Amino acid sequence: MLEVRDFAIERSGLPVLSGLNFSVAAGDALILRGPNGIGKTTLLRTLAGLQEPSAGTCTFPPDEGAYASHADGIKTALTVQENLAFWGDVYGNAVPDAIWDWFDLGDLRDRFAGTLSAGQKRRVGLARLGVIGRKVLFLDEPTVSLDGFSVKLFTQFLRDQHLASGGIAVIATHIDLGLDEAETLDLTPFATSVSGATDSDEAFL
């Protein structure tokens, strides 16, 4: 379980969100909503442990969290297969045979990532989530650059592979992913200061 209690965050030294209390059970997803700049990215990064909260606690099983932004985080000089193998090596996992079907990458396996379209690169970036084996995913606008078919593929992966195996996902998105079973958390009531600064666009995992 992911459990967040009395949580508050800052961005560039300014308070952004406070008073957050929620939990997400194994096999469940939580969708974060709110206007641009409210702090969705900062919250995800803080929940994932990439920066410290200004107050409160976030607990989940040790070494099971992963953060992925809407940047693709792929190496353009490597093929698609080499990119996924790289992430498998980092996390000590083999690349699942089924991943080519999960993300419709079979025909792109030997293509250099730098030659792919924006949507194809995004699918490769998301396919890393099926390689790293982490149970708690913090996902920032994961469907950027994806067409409707690819959004459905990603949702199917989340539901049938990640969540069905006891995983957790906390997702910031402005679109309807079709995860009707997921809870939604509107961050607007928890906003303490909305500055002109934008959230980071880093591709941490």
Side-chain angles (χ1 to χ4, degrees), residues 9 15-20 34-35 37-39 186-195:
I9 61 172
V16 177
L17 298 169
S18 66
L20 285 161
I38 198 169
D186 182 2
L187 297 178
T188 305
F190 306 98
T192 54
S193 174
V194 180
S195 73

Side-chain angles (χ1 to χ4, degrees), residues 68 71-74 84 87 122 124-132 203 205:
D72 296 318
I74 61 177
L84 296 184
W87 286 105
R122 180 87 287 244
V124 176
L126 291 173
R128 296 174 300 166
L129 303 175
V131 174
I132 62 176
L205 271 176

Side-chain angles (χ1 to χ4, degrees), residues 32-184:
L32 302 178
R33 301 289 193 193
N36 290 334
I38 198 169
K40 295 185 295 294
T41 294
T42 303
L43 176 59
L44 287 171
R45 286 174 50 82
T46 308
L47 293 173
L50 298 177
Q51 63 188 63
E52 293 293 324
S54 53
T57 60
C58 172
T59 57
F60 54 87
D63 299 322
E64 286 292 352
Y67 167 80
S69 80
H70 45 282
D72 296 318
I74 61 177
K75 298 181 181 297
T76 57
L78 299 181
T79 67
V80 171
Q81 182 164 322
E82 289 169 340
N83 266 280
L84 296 184
F86 169 81
W87 286 105
D89 289 343
V90 168
Y91 285 85
N93 298 323
V95 177
D97 291 336
I99 205 163
W100 309 103
D101 293 327
W102 294 345
F103 293 94
D104 192 27
L105 295 174
D107 293 341
L108 305 177
R109 187 187 300 239
D110 297 320
R111 285 268 301 273
F112 286 104
T115 69
L116 302 178
S117 70
Q120 291 169 336
K121 289 177 180 176
R122 180 87 287 244
R123 295 207 312 271
V124 176
L126 291 173
R128 296 174 300 166
L129 303 175
V131 174
I132 62 176
R134 293 295 176 93
K135 287 291 188 182
V136 185
L137 301 180
F138 302 97
L139 307 177
D140 188 8
E141 298 291 351
T143 58
V144 168
S145 300
L146 293 184
D147 59 19
F149 171 74
S150 298
V151 171
K152 290 180 180 178
L153 279 180
F154 174 64
T155 299
Q156 187 173 345
F157 162 76
L158 277 182
R159 178 185 288 119
D160 297 346
Q161 305 302 324
H162 182 68
L163 300 178
S165 64
I168 289 170
V170 182
I171 311 164
T173 180
H174 289 287
I175 73 165
D176 181 5
L177 294 176
L179 280 174
D180 297 335
E181 66 273 28
E183 295 289 332
T184 299

